[in-house]
Amino acid sequence: MPGLGFGRLMEGLRKQTEGFAQAVAGGDPEAVVPTCPEWRLRTLVAHIGLADRWAAELVRTGRPVPAPDPAAMNPGVPGVPDEWGTWLRAGADELVGAVREAGEESQAWSFFGTVPAAFWVRRMLSETAIHHCDAAQTTGAAFRIAGDLAAEVITEGMELMADPRAETAVPKLALLRGAGERLAFRPYGMDGWVITRLPEGLRWERGNGPADVVVSGTLTEVMLVLARRRPTGEVTGEVAGEVTVEVTGDRALLKHWLEHTLI
């Protein structure tokens, strides 16, 4: 369940959408996104704007609607960077408006089955935050996210992967089952997240208990490592950007985790 209230989730979605819009403003539509090299910047923009509108439709109808392909020719997607910001903000507003009108506890379709409509605001907050980082790395813009939002992105990712329905939606998650191996992700100065790989599936908890491998860093950097937007390198204390991401313990376990997870 969300750690943040619905009001803060809405505010966070709008904040990250604004940051994303600023990051892509004036960017080259054909620029390759380094963290998603199969995409151009225009595809990344289309993905976020279309996903917001798709989620809004799922909330309005309560039934599955085909997901849009951001690489296709989609009517209404601006081809001019100067129009991207307005279009992106309108998409986030449409989703928020749909959830408000339906009610945050109303039932909506998702790839995991029926969920409260507020699920989609939280899901798009996470999606937008991670792709905000992608956009910033593409254009050289700064990436920022509030601490409570970064923590919510991490928690949402943990909940999705530990959901019993996750392996149906993402079959390769079954490869993460294990024999009790533990991975810890510990932001400096706060409780972290510990994942346990069990034969029946994944379990997670908040805290700083013992683990076979530990990733430490700022809250934002830990979020980005989990999202596979920061390399973990081959040495303890590797510099990622302007901060240090520390990895201690079983690096092969961490590598396997990152190769088989989706956030």
Side-chain angles (χ1 to χ4, degrees), residues 94-119:
E94 183 176 337
L95 173 55
V96 167
V99 175
R100 277 179 164 166
E101 183 175 347
E104 61 185 276
E105 295 298 328
S106 64
Q107 297 300 291
W109 180 87
S110 81
F111 34 79
F112 286 149
T114 302
V115 293
F119 167 94

Side-chain angles (χ1 to χ4, degrees), residues 8 22 59 78 82 84-85 96 99 101-102 124 138 141 171 183 185-186 192 205 209 234-235 239 250:
R8 179 58 175 151
Q22 291 180 13
V59 171
D82 288 349
W84 284 349
V96 167
V99 175
E101 183 175 347
M124 286 309 302
T138 305
L183 302 91
F185 297 88
R186 297 177 182 166
E205 60 187 329
E234 296 300 331
V235 295
V239 172
D250 188 347

Side-chain angles (χ1 to χ4, degrees), residues 227-246:
R228 299 176 299 176
R229 263 57 181 189
R230 287 290 189 267
T232 55
E234 296 300 331
V235 295
T236 299
E238 180 223 351
V239 172
E242 296 180 354
V243 303
T244 299
V245 175
E246 299 175 277

Side-chain angles (χ1 to χ4, degrees), residues 113-131:
T114 302
V115 293
F119 167 94
W120 281 109
V121 173
R122 191 184 188 213
R123 177 85 285 277
M124 286 309 302
L125 163 62
S126 294
E127 191 78 0
T128 304
I130 299 306
H131 287 312

Side-chain angles (χ1 to χ4, degrees), residues 117-261:
F119 167 94
W120 281 109
V121 173
R122 191 184 188 213
R123 177 85 285 277
M124 286 309 302
L125 163 62
S126 294
E127 191 78 0
T128 304
I130 299 306
H131 287 312
H132 174 190
C133 175
D134 294 333
Q137 291 195 37
T138 305
T139 64
F143 170 70
R144 297 183 181 87
I145 183 170
D148 63 335
L149 299 180
E152 191 73 3
V153 171
I154 294 173
T155 298
E156 194 241 11
M158 299 288 175
E159 291 179 1
L160 290 181
M161 286 185 290
D163 190 299
R165 301 167 291 182
E167 292 177 10
T168 300
V170 186
K172 76 174 182 178
L173 290 178
L175 298 174
L176 292 175
R177 295 187 181 201
E181 301 91 344
R182 290 165 62 89
L183 302 91
F185 297 88
R186 297 177 182 166
Y188 298 138
M190 64 181 289
D191 283 346
W193 291 257
V194 180
I195 302 156
T196 305
R197 297 173 52 178
L198 298 171
E200 65 271 23
L202 302 175
R203 300 290 182 270
W204 72 276
E205 60 187 329
R206 290 299 301 270
N208 295 316
D212 299 293
V213 63
V214 177
V215 177
S216 303
T218 67
L219 179 56
T220 297
E221 292 298 320
V222 169
M223 180 195 82
L224 293 176
V225 166
L226 277 163
R228 299 176 299 176
R229 263 57 181 189
R230 287 290 189 267
T232 55
E234 296 300 331
V235 295
T236 299
E238 180 223 351
V239 172
E242 296 180 354
V243 303
T244 299
V245 175
E246 299 175 277
V247 180
T248 57
D250 188 347
R251 286 180 168 272
L253 178 61
L254 176 63
K255 180 180 178 182
H256 183 272
W257 174 268
L258 295 176
E259 288 176 347
H260 296 87
T261 54

